Amino acid sequence: MDCLFCGIIAGKIPSKKIYEDAATVAFLDINPANPGHALVVPKKHAENLFDADDESLKAAVIVAKKVATLVKERTGCEGVNVLQNNGKAAGQIVSHVHFHVIPRKQGDTVVISYPRKQTDEKELDAMAATLTKKRSAALDEEILREMGRL
Ligand code: AMP
Ligand code: ZN
C-alpha cells in the first residue's frame, strides 16, 4: 500500500517522532501552523474517521490529550486546537486518519474560521429530526446496544 503515514510508521520515511506506543504514533507536522504542531496517527491504516475502528480512535484521542499537554507545557502556548479532517471537501490531504494538535497563542497567524450562519428553531428542529428520527435501523440498534438497552 502506498501510504505516506504508513511509510512513516514503518520507519521507511523519516519523521520527527515525539510519541509512540503500541497503537499510536505522534510526529511533528512538516509544515506547522505554529511551532510544535503535531500529528497523532493510529498505526493501523484507515483512510478516515468513518473507516477507522473504535479502538484505534479511542487510543488516538487519549494520545492527542497527552501530546496536547506536552506541547502546552513545553512550548508555553496559551491554547491548543485538536483538528481532524475527513475527505477532500474537509481539507484532508493525507489519506490516513490523523489528528492535528496545534499550539495557539493570542494574536497568532493561524486562521480557523467559518461564517456562523443564522438559523431558527424550526430549522434546528427539522435538522434534529433528520439526524434522529430518520436514521437507519442498523444505527438505532448500535446506539441502543451502546446504551445497554439491547
Ligand atoms: P490533512 O490536511 O489533515 O490531511 O493534513 C495532513 C498534514 O500532513 C499536513 O498538515 C501536512 O503538512 C502534513 N504532512 C505531509 N507530509 C508530511 C510528512 N512527511 N511529515 C510530517 N507531516 C507531513
Ligand atoms: Zn496508511
CSV table of all heavy atoms in Angstrom, one decimal, residues 24-90:
chain,number,residue,atom,x,y,z
A,24,THR,N,-0.4,3.8,18.5
A,24,THR,CA,-0.5,5.2,18.0
A,24,THR,C,0.9,5.8,18.0
A,24,THR,O,1.8,5.5,18.8
A,24,THR,CB,-1.3,6.1,19.0
A,24,THR,OG1,-2.5,5.4,19.4
A,24,THR,CG2,-1.7,7.4,18.4
A,25,VAL,N,1.1,6.7,17.0
A,25,VAL,CA,2.4,7.4,16.9
A,25,VAL,C,2.1,8.9,16.8
A,25,VAL,O,1.0,9.3,16.3
A,25,VAL,CB,3.2,6.9,15.7
A,25,VAL,CG1,2.6,7.2,14.4
A,25,VAL,CG2,4.6,7.4,15.8
A,26,ALA,N,3.0,9.8,17.2
A,26,ALA,CA,2.8,11.2,17.0
A,26,ALA,C,4.1,11.8,16.5
A,26,ALA,O,5.2,11.4,17.0
A,26,ALA,CB,2.4,11.9,18.3
A,27,PHE,N,4.0,12.6,15.5
A,27,PHE,CA,5.3,13.3,15.0
A,27,PHE,C,4.9,14.7,14.6
A,27,PHE,O,3.8,15.1,14.4
A,27,PHE,CB,5.9,12.5,13.8
A,27,PHE,CG,4.9,12.1,12.7
A,27,PHE,CD1,4.5,12.9,11.7
A,27,PHE,CD2,4.2,10.8,12.8
A,27,PHE,CE1,3.6,12.6,10.7
A,27,PHE,CE2,3.3,10.5,11.8
A,27,PHE,CZ,3.0,11.3,10.8
A,28,LEU,N,6.0,15.5,14.4
A,28,LEU,CA,5.8,16.9,14.1
A,28,LEU,C,5.3,17.1,12.6
A,28,LEU,O,5.8,16.4,11.7
A,28,LEU,CB,7.1,17.7,14.3
A,28,LEU,CG,7.6,17.8,15.7
A,28,LEU,CD1,8.9,18.5,15.8
A,28,LEU,CD2,6.5,18.4,16.6
A,29,ASP,N,4.4,18.0,12.4
A,29,ASP,CA,3.9,18.3,11.1
A,29,ASP,C,5.0,19.0,10.3
A,29,ASP,O,5.7,19.9,10.8
A,29,ASP,CB,2.7,19.2,11.1
A,29,ASP,CG,1.9,19.2,9.8
A,29,ASP,OD1,2.5,19.7,8.8
A,29,ASP,OD2,0.8,18.8,9.8
A,30,ILE,N,5.2,18.6,9.1
A,30,ILE,CA,6.3,19.1,8.2
A,30,ILE,C,6.1,20.5,7.8
A,30,ILE,O,7.1,21.3,7.5
A,30,ILE,CB,6.6,18.1,7.0
A,30,ILE,CG1,8.0,18.2,6.5
A,30,ILE,CG2,5.6,18.4,5.9
A,30,ILE,CD1,8.4,17.1,5.6
A,31,ASN,N,4.9,21.0,7.8
A,31,ASN,CA,4.5,22.4,7.5
A,31,ASN,C,3.6,22.9,8.7
A,31,ASN,O,2.4,23.1,8.5
A,31,ASN,CB,3.7,22.5,6.2
A,31,ASN,CG,4.6,22.1,5.0
A,31,ASN,OD1,4.2,21.3,4.2
A,31,ASN,ND2,5.7,22.8,4.9
A,32,PRO,N,4.3,23.2,9.8
A,32,PRO,CA,3.5,23.5,11.0
A,32,PRO,C,2.7,24.9,10.9
A,32,PRO,O,3.2,25.8,10.4
A,32,PRO,CB,4.5,23.6,12.1
A,32,PRO,CG,5.8,23.9,11.4
A,32,PRO,CD,5.7,23.2,10.1
A,33,ALA,N,1.5,24.8,11.5
A,33,ALA,CA,0.7,26.1,11.6
A,33,ALA,C,1.4,27.0,12.6
A,33,ALA,O,1.4,28.2,12.5
A,33,ALA,CB,-0.7,25.7,12.1
A,34,ASN,N,1.9,26.4,13.7
A,34,ASN,CA,2.7,27.0,14.7
A,34,ASN,C,3.8,26.0,15.1
A,34,ASN,O,3.6,24.8,15.0
A,34,ASN,CB,1.9,27.4,15.9
A,34,ASN,CG,1.3,28.8,15.9
A,34,ASN,OD1,1.8,29.6,15.2
A,34,ASN,ND2,0.1,28.9,16.6
A,35,PRO,N,4.9,26.5,15.7
A,35,PRO,CA,6.0,25.6,16.2
A,35,PRO,C,5.3,24.6,17.2
A,35,PRO,O,4.6,25.0,18.1
A,35,PRO,CB,7.0,26.5,16.9
A,35,PRO,CG,6.8,27.8,16.3
A,35,PRO,CD,5.3,27.9,16.0
A,36,GLY,N,5.6,23.3,17.0
A,36,GLY,CA,5.1,22.3,17.9
A,36,GLY,C,3.8,21.6,17.4
A,36,GLY,O,3.3,20.6,18.0
A,37,HIS,N,3.3,22.1,16.2
A,37,HIS,CA,2.2,21.4,15.5
A,37,HIS,C,2.5,19.9,15.3
A,37,HIS,O,3.5,19.6,14.6
A,37,HIS,CB,2.0,22.2,14.2
A,37,HIS,CG,0.8,21.6,13.4
A,37,HIS,ND1,0.4,22.3,12.3
A,37,HIS,CD2,0.1,20.5,13.5
A,37,HIS,CE1,-0.6,21.6,11.7
A,37,HIS,NE2,-0.8,20.5,12.4
A,38,ALA,N,1.7,19.1,15.9
A,38,ALA,CA,2.0,17.6,15.8
A,38,ALA,C,0.8,16.9,15.2
A,38,ALA,O,-0.3,17.4,15.2
A,38,ALA,CB,2.3,17.1,17.2
A,39,LEU,N,1.1,15.7,14.7
A,39,LEU,CA,0.0,14.8,14.1
A,39,LEU,C,0.0,13.6,14.9
A,39,LEU,O,1.0,12.9,15.2
A,39,LEU,CB,0.3,14.5,12.7
A,39,LEU,CG,0.4,15.7,11.7
A,39,LEU,CD1,0.9,15.3,10.3
A,39,LEU,CD2,-0.9,16.5,11.6
A,40,VAL,N,-1.2,13.2,15.4
A,40,VAL,CA,-1.4,12.0,16.1
A,40,VAL,C,-2.0,11.0,15.2
A,40,VAL,O,-3.1,11.2,14.6
A,40,VAL,CB,-2.3,12.2,17.4
A,40,VAL,CG1,-2.6,10.9,18.1
A,40,VAL,CG2,-1.6,13.2,18.3
A,41,VAL,N,-1.4,9.8,15.0
A,41,VAL,CA,-1.8,8.9,13.9
A,41,VAL,C,-1.9,7.5,14.4
A,41,VAL,O,-1.0,6.9,15.0
A,41,VAL,CB,-0.7,8.9,12.8
A,41,VAL,CG1,-1.1,8.1,11.6
A,41,VAL,CG2,-0.3,10.4,12.4
A,42,PRO,N,-3.1,6.9,14.3
A,42,PRO,CA,-3.2,5.4,14.6
A,42,PRO,C,-2.3,4.6,13.7
A,42,PRO,O,-2.2,4.9,12.5
A,42,PRO,CB,-4.7,5.1,14.3
A,42,PRO,CG,-5.4,6.4,14.3
A,42,PRO,CD,-4.4,7.4,13.8
A,43,LYS,N,-1.7,3.6,14.3
A,43,LYS,CA,-0.7,2.8,13.5
A,43,LYS,C,-1.5,2.0,12.4
A,43,LYS,O,-1.0,1.7,11.3
A,43,LYS,CB,0.1,1.9,14.4
A,43,LYS,CG,1.2,2.7,15.1
A,43,LYS,CD,2.0,1.7,15.9
A,43,LYS,CE,3.2,2.4,16.5
A,43,LYS,NZ,4.0,1.6,17.4
A,44,LYS,N,-2.7,1.5,12.8
A,44,LYS,CA,-3.4,0.7,11.9
A,44,LYS,C,-4.0,1.6,10.7
A,44,LYS,O,-4.7,2.5,11.0
A,44,LYS,CB,-4.6,0.0,12.7
A,44,LYS,CG,-5.3,-1.1,11.9
A,44,LYS,CD,-6.2,-1.8,13.0
A,44,LYS,CE,-7.2,-2.6,12.3
A,44,LYS,NZ,-8.1,-3.2,13.3
A,45,HIS,N,-3.7,1.2,9.5
A,45,HIS,CA,-4.2,2.1,8.4
A,45,HIS,C,-5.7,2.1,8.3
A,45,HIS,O,-6.4,1.1,8.3
A,45,HIS,CB,-3.6,1.6,7.1
A,45,HIS,CG,-4.1,2.5,5.9
A,45,HIS,ND1,-3.4,3.7,5.6
A,45,HIS,CD2,-5.2,2.5,5.1
A,45,HIS,CE1,-4.1,4.3,4.6
A,45,HIS,NE2,-5.2,3.6,4.3
A,46,ALA,N,-6.2,3.3,8.2
A,46,ALA,CA,-7.6,3.6,7.9
A,46,ALA,C,-7.6,4.9,7.2
A,46,ALA,O,-6.9,5.8,7.6
A,46,ALA,CB,-8.5,3.6,9.1
A,47,GLU,N,-8.5,5.1,6.2
A,47,GLU,CA,-8.4,6.4,5.4
A,47,GLU,C,-8.9,7.6,6.3
A,47,GLU,O,-8.3,8.6,6.2
A,47,GLU,CB,-9.2,6.2,4.2
A,47,GLU,CG,-9.0,7.3,3.2
A,47,GLU,CD,-9.6,7.0,1.8
A,47,GLU,OE1,-9.5,5.8,1.4
A,47,GLU,OE2,-10.1,7.9,1.2
A,48,ASN,N,-9.9,7.3,7.0
A,48,ASN,CA,-10.6,8.5,7.7
A,48,ASN,C,-11.3,8.0,8.9
A,48,ASN,O,-11.3,6.8,9.3
A,48,ASN,CB,-11.5,9.2,6.8
A,48,ASN,CG,-12.5,8.3,6.1
A,48,ASN,OD1,-13.0,7.4,6.7
A,48,ASN,ND2,-12.7,8.5,4.8
A,49,LEU,N,-12.0,8.9,9.6
A,49,LEU,CA,-12.8,8.6,10.8
A,49,LEU,C,-13.8,7.5,10.6
A,49,LEU,O,-14.1,6.7,11.5
A,49,LEU,CB,-13.5,9.9,11.2
A,49,LEU,CG,-14.1,10.0,12.6
A,49,LEU,CD1,-13.0,10.0,13.7
A,49,LEU,CD2,-14.9,11.3,12.8
A,50,PHE,N,-14.4,7.5,9.4
A,50,PHE,CA,-15.5,6.6,9.1
A,50,PHE,C,-15.0,5.2,9.0
A,50,PHE,O,-15.7,4.2,9.3
A,50,PHE,CB,-16.3,7.0,7.8
A,50,PHE,CG,-16.7,8.4,7.8
A,50,PHE,CD1,-16.1,9.4,7.0
A,50,PHE,CD2,-17.7,8.8,8.7
A,50,PHE,CE1,-16.5,10.7,7.1
A,50,PHE,CE2,-18.1,10.1,8.7
A,50,PHE,CZ,-17.5,11.1,7.9
A,51,ASP,N,-13.8,5.0,8.5
A,51,ASP,CA,-13.2,3.7,8.2
A,51,ASP,C,-12.4,3.2,9.5
A,51,ASP,O,-12.2,2.0,9.6
A,51,ASP,CB,-12.2,3.8,7.1
A,51,ASP,CG,-12.8,4.2,5.8
A,51,ASP,OD1,-14.1,4.0,5.7
A,51,ASP,OD2,-12.1,4.6,4.9
A,52,ALA,N,-12.0,4.1,10.3
A,52,ALA,CA,-11.1,3.6,11.4
A,52,ALA,C,-12.0,2.9,12.5
A,52,ALA,O,-13.1,3.2,12.7
A,52,ALA,CB,-10.5,4.8,12.1
A,53,ASP,N,-11.3,1.9,13.1
A,53,ASP,CA,-12.0,1.1,14.2
A,53,ASP,C,-12.0,1.9,15.5
A,53,ASP,O,-11.1,2.8,15.7
A,53,ASP,CB,-11.5,-0.3,14.3
A,53,ASP,CG,-10.1,-0.3,14.8
A,53,ASP,OD1,-9.9,-0.1,16.0
A,53,ASP,OD2,-9.2,-0.4,14.0
A,54,ASP,N,-13.0,1.6,16.3
A,54,ASP,CA,-13.2,2.4,17.6
A,54,ASP,C,-12.0,2.3,18.5
A,54,ASP,O,-11.6,3.3,19.1
A,54,ASP,CB,-14.4,1.9,18.3
A,54,ASP,CG,-15.7,2.3,17.6
A,54,ASP,OD1,-15.7,3.0,16.6
A,54,ASP,OD2,-16.8,1.9,18.1
A,55,GLU,N,-11.3,1.2,18.5
A,55,GLU,CA,-10.2,1.0,19.4
A,55,GLU,C,-9.0,1.9,19.0
A,55,GLU,O,-8.4,2.6,19.9
A,55,GLU,CB,-9.7,-0.4,19.5
A,55,GLU,CG,-10.6,-1.4,20.2
A,55,GLU,CD,-11.0,-0.9,21.6
A,55,GLU,OE1,-10.1,-0.5,22.4
A,55,GLU,OE2,-12.2,-0.9,21.9
A,56,SER,N,-8.8,2.0,17.7
A,56,SER,CA,-7.7,2.9,17.2
A,56,SER,C,-8.1,4.4,17.5
A,56,SER,O,-7.2,5.1,17.9
A,56,SER,CB,-7.6,2.8,15.7
A,56,SER,OG,-7.2,1.5,15.3
A,57,LEU,N,-9.3,4.7,17.4
A,57,LEU,CA,-9.7,6.1,17.6
A,57,LEU,C,-9.7,6.5,19.1
A,57,LEU,O,-9.2,7.6,19.4
A,57,LEU,CB,-11.2,6.3,17.1
A,57,LEU,CG,-11.3,6.3,15.5
A,57,LEU,CD1,-12.7,6.4,15.1
A,57,LEU,CD2,-10.5,7.4,14.9
A,58,LYS,N,-10.1,5.5,19.9
A,58,LYS,CA,-10.1,5.8,21.4
A,58,LYS,C,-8.6,6.0,21.8
A,58,LYS,O,-8.3,7.0,22.5
A,58,LYS,CB,-10.6,4.6,22.2
A,58,LYS,CG,-12.1,4.6,22.3
A,58,LYS,CD,-12.5,3.4,23.2
A,58,LYS,CE,-13.8,2.8,22.7
A,58,LYS,NZ,-14.2,1.6,23.4
A,59,ALA,N,-7.7,5.2,21.3
A,59,ALA,CA,-6.3,5.3,21.7
A,59,ALA,C,-5.8,6.6,21.2
A,59,ALA,O,-5.0,7.3,21.9
A,59,ALA,CB,-5.5,4.1,21.1
A,60,ALA,N,-6.1,7.0,19.9
A,60,ALA,CA,-5.6,8.2,19.3
A,60,ALA,C,-6.1,9.5,20.1
A,60,ALA,O,-5.3,10.4,20.3
A,60,ALA,CB,-6.0,8.3,17.9
A,61,VAL,N,-7.3,9.5,20.5
A,61,VAL,CA,-7.8,10.7,21.3
A,61,VAL,C,-7.1,10.8,22.6
A,61,VAL,O,-6.7,11.9,23.0
A,61,VAL,CB,-9.3,10.6,21.5
A,61,VAL,CG1,-9.8,11.7,22.4
A,61,VAL,CG2,-10.0,10.8,20.1
A,62,ILE,N,-6.8,9.7,23.3
A,62,ILE,CA,-6.1,9.7,24.5
A,62,ILE,C,-4.6,10.2,24.3
A,62,ILE,O,-4.1,11.1,25.0
A,62,ILE,CB,-6.1,8.4,25.2
A,62,ILE,CG1,-7.5,8.1,25.7
A,62,ILE,CG2,-5.1,8.3,26.4
A,62,ILE,CD1,-7.8,6.7,26.1
A,63,VAL,N,-4.0,9.8,23.2
A,63,VAL,CA,-2.7,10.3,22.8
A,63,VAL,C,-2.7,11.8,22.5
A,63,VAL,O,-1.9,12.5,22.8
A,63,VAL,CB,-2.0,9.4,21.7
A,63,VAL,CG1,-0.7,10.1,21.3
A,63,VAL,CG2,-1.8,8.0,22.2
A,64,ALA,N,-3.8,12.2,21.8
A,64,ALA,CA,-4.0,13.6,21.4
A,64,ALA,C,-3.9,14.4,22.7
A,64,ALA,O,-3.4,15.5,22.8
A,64,ALA,CB,-5.2,13.8,20.6
A,65,LYS,N,-4.6,13.9,23.8
A,65,LYS,CA,-4.6,14.7,25.0
A,65,LYS,C,-3.2,14.7,25.6
A,65,LYS,O,-2.7,15.8,26.1
A,65,LYS,CB,-5.5,14.0,26.0
A,65,LYS,CG,-5.6,14.7,27.4
A,65,LYS,CD,-6.5,14.0,28.4
A,65,LYS,CE,-6.4,14.7,29.7
A,65,LYS,NZ,-7.3,14.0,30.7
A,66,LYS,N,-2.5,13.6,25.6
A,66,LYS,CA,-1.1,13.6,26.1
A,66,LYS,C,-0.2,14.5,25.3
A,66,LYS,O,0.6,15.3,25.9
A,66,LYS,CB,-0.5,12.2,25.9
A,66,LYS,CG,-0.9,11.1,26.9
A,66,LYS,CD,-0.1,9.8,26.6
A,66,LYS,CE,-0.8,8.5,27.0
A,66,LYS,NZ,-1.1,8.4,28.4
A,67,VAL,N,-0.3,14.5,24.0
A,67,VAL,CA,0.5,15.4,23.1
A,67,VAL,C,0.1,16.8,23.3
A,67,VAL,O,1.0,17.7,23.4
A,67,VAL,CB,0.4,15.0,21.6
A,67,VAL,CG1,1.0,16.0,20.7
A,67,VAL,CG2,1.0,13.6,21.4
A,68,ALA,N,-1.2,17.1,23.5
A,68,ALA,CA,-1.6,18.5,23.7
A,68,ALA,C,-1.0,19.0,25.0
A,68,ALA,O,-0.5,20.2,25.1
A,68,ALA,CB,-3.1,18.6,23.7
A,69,THR,N,-1.0,18.2,26.0
A,69,THR,CA,-0.5,18.5,27.4
A,69,THR,C,1.0,18.8,27.3
A,69,THR,O,1.5,19.8,27.8
A,69,THR,CB,-0.8,17.4,28.4
A,69,THR,OG1,-2.2,17.1,28.4
A,69,THR,CG2,-0.3,17.8,29.8
A,70,LEU,N,1.7,17.9,26.6
A,70,LEU,CA,3.2,18.0,26.4
A,70,LEU,C,3.5,19.3,25.6
A,70,LEU,O,4.4,20.1,26.0
A,70,LEU,CB,3.6,16.8,25.5
A,70,LEU,CG,5.1,16.7,25.2
A,70,LEU,CD1,5.9,16.3,26.5
A,70,LEU,CD2,5.3,15.6,24.1
A,71,VAL,N,2.8,19.5,24.5
A,71,VAL,CA,3.0,20.7,23.7
A,71,VAL,C,2.8,22.0,24.5
A,71,VAL,O,3.5,23.0,24.4
A,71,VAL,CB,2.2,20.6,22.4
A,71,VAL,CG1,1.9,22.0,21.8
A,71,VAL,CG2,2.8,19.7,21.4
A,72,LYS,N,1.7,22.0,25.3
A,72,LYS,CA,1.3,23.2,26.1
A,72,LYS,C,2.4,23.4,27.1
A,72,LYS,O,2.9,24.6,27.3
A,72,LYS,CB,0.0,22.9,26.8
A,72,LYS,CG,-0.6,24.2,27.4
A,72,LYS,CD,-2.1,23.9,27.7
A,72,LYS,CE,-2.8,25.2,28.2
A,72,LYS,NZ,-2.3,25.6,29.5
A,73,GLU,N,2.9,22.4,27.8
A,73,GLU,CA,3.9,22.5,28.8
A,73,GLU,C,5.2,23.0,28.2
A,73,GLU,O,5.9,23.9,28.8
A,73,GLU,CB,4.2,21.2,29.5
A,73,GLU,CG,3.1,20.9,30.6
A,73,GLU,CD,3.3,19.5,31.2
A,73,GLU,OE1,4.3,18.8,30.9
A,73,GLU,OE2,2.4,19.1,31.9
A,74,ARG,N,5.6,22.4,27.1
A,74,ARG,CA,7.0,22.7,26.6
A,74,ARG,C,7.1,23.9,25.7
A,74,ARG,O,8.1,24.5,25.5
A,74,ARG,CB,7.5,21.5,25.8
A,74,ARG,CG,7.5,20.2,26.6
A,74,ARG,CD,8.6,20.2,27.7
A,74,ARG,NE,8.5,19.1,28.6
A,74,ARG,CZ,9.1,17.9,28.4
A,74,ARG,NH1,9.8,17.7,27.4
A,74,ARG,NH2,8.9,17.0,29.3
A,75,THR,N,6.0,24.3,25.0
A,75,THR,CA,6.0,25.5,24.1
A,75,THR,C,5.5,26.7,24.8
A,75,THR,O,5.7,27.8,24.3
A,75,THR,CB,5.2,25.3,22.8
A,75,THR,OG1,3.8,25.3,23.1
A,75,THR,CG2,5.6,24.0,22.1
A,76,GLY,N,4.8,26.5,25.9
A,76,GLY,CA,4.3,27.7,26.6
A,76,GLY,C,3.1,28.3,25.9
A,76,GLY,O,2.8,29.5,26.1
A,77,CYS,N,2.5,27.6,25.0
A,77,CYS,CA,1.3,28.1,24.3
A,77,CYS,C,0.2,28.4,25.2
A,77,CYS,O,0.1,27.8,26.3
A,77,CYS,CB,0.9,27.2,23.1
A,77,CYS,SG,0.2,25.6,23.7
A,78,GLU,N,-0.8,29.2,24.7
A,78,GLU,CA,-1.9,29.5,25.6
A,78,GLU,C,-3.2,28.7,25.4
A,78,GLU,O,-4.0,28.6,26.2
A,78,GLU,CB,-2.3,31.0,25.4
A,78,GLU,CG,-1.2,31.9,25.7
A,78,GLU,CD,-1.3,33.3,25.0
A,78,GLU,OE1,-2.3,33.5,24.3
A,78,GLU,OE2,-0.3,34.1,25.2
A,79,GLY,N,-3.2,28.0,24.2
A,79,GLY,CA,-4.3,27.2,23.9
A,79,GLY,C,-3.9,26.1,22.9
A,79,GLY,O,-2.8,26.2,22.3
A,80,VAL,N,-4.8,25.2,22.6
A,80,VAL,CA,-4.4,24.1,21.6
A,80,VAL,C,-5.7,23.8,20.8
A,80,VAL,O,-6.8,23.6,21.4
A,80,VAL,CB,-4.0,22.8,22.4
A,80,VAL,CG1,-3.7,21.7,21.4
A,80,VAL,CG2,-2.7,23.1,23.2
A,81,ASN,N,-5.6,23.7,19.5
A,81,ASN,CA,-6.7,23.2,18.7
A,81,ASN,C,-6.3,21.7,18.4
A,81,ASN,O,-5.2,21.4,18.0
A,81,ASN,CB,-6.8,23.9,17.3
A,81,ASN,CG,-7.3,25.3,17.4
A,81,ASN,OD1,-6.6,26.3,17.1
A,81,ASN,ND2,-8.5,25.4,17.9
A,82,VAL,N,-7.4,20.8,18.5
A,82,VAL,CA,-7.2,19.5,18.0
A,82,VAL,C,-8.2,19.4,16.9
A,82,VAL,O,-9.4,19.6,17.0
A,82,VAL,CB,-7.6,18.4,19.1
A,82,VAL,CG1,-7.6,17.0,18.6
A,82,VAL,CG2,-6.6,18.6,20.3
A,83,LEU,N,-7.7,19.1,15.7
A,83,LEU,CA,-8.5,19.1,14.4
A,83,LEU,C,-8.3,17.8,13.7
A,83,LEU,O,-7.3,17.1,13.8
A,83,LEU,CB,-8.0,20.2,13.5
A,83,LEU,CG,-8.0,21.6,14.0
A,83,LEU,CD1,-7.4,22.5,12.9
A,83,LEU,CD2,-9.4,22.1,14.3
A,84,GLN,N,-9.4,17.5,13.0
A,84,GLN,CA,-9.4,16.2,12.3
A,84,GLN,C,-10.2,16.3,11.0
A,84,GLN,O,-11.3,16.7,11.0
A,84,GLN,CB,-10.0,15.1,13.2
A,84,GLN,CG,-9.6,13.7,13.0
A,84,GLN,CD,-10.5,13.1,12.0
A,84,GLN,OE1,-11.7,13.3,12.0
A,84,GLN,NE2,-10.0,12.4,11.0
A,85,ASN,N,-9.5,16.1,9.8
A,85,ASN,CA,-10.2,16.3,8.6
A,85,ASN,C,-10.6,15.0,7.9
A,85,ASN,O,-9.8,14.1,7.9
A,85,ASN,CB,-9.2,17.1,7.6
A,85,ASN,CG,-8.8,18.4,8.2
A,85,ASN,OD1,-9.6,19.1,8.9
A,85,ASN,ND2,-7.6,18.8,8.0
A,86,ASN,N,-11.7,15.0,7.3
A,86,ASN,CA,-12.2,13.8,6.6
A,86,ASN,C,-12.7,14.1,5.2
A,86,ASN,O,-13.7,14.8,5.1
A,86,ASN,CB,-13.3,13.1,7.4
A,86,ASN,CG,-12.9,12.6,8.7
A,86,ASN,OD1,-12.1,11.7,8.9
A,86,ASN,ND2,-13.2,13.4,9.8
A,87,GLY,N,-11.9,13.7,4.2
A,87,GLY,CA,-12.4,13.9,2.8
A,87,GLY,C,-11.8,15.2,2.3
A,87,GLY,O,-11.5,16.1,3.0
A,88,LYS,N,-11.7,15.2,1.0
A,88,LYS,CA,-11.1,16.4,0.3
A,88,LYS,C,-11.9,17.7,0.6
A,88,LYS,O,-11.3,18.7,0.8
A,88,LYS,CB,-11.2,16.1,-1.2
A,88,LYS,CG,-10.0,16.5,-2.0
A,88,LYS,CD,-10.3,16.2,-3.5
A,88,LYS,CE,-9.0,16.1,-4.3
A,88,LYS,NZ,-9.2,15.6,-5.6
A,89,ALA,N,-13.2,17.5,0.6
A,89,ALA,CA,-14.0,18.7,0.9
A,89,ALA,C,-13.8,19.3,2.3
A,89,ALA,O,-14.0,20.5,2.5
A,89,ALA,CB,-15.5,18.3,0.8
A,90,ALA,N,-13.3,18.5,3.2
A,90,ALA,CA,-13.0,18.9,4.5
A,90,ALA,C,-11.5,19.3,4.7
A,90,ALA,O,-11.1,19.5,5.8
A,90,ALA,CB,-13.4,17.9,5.5
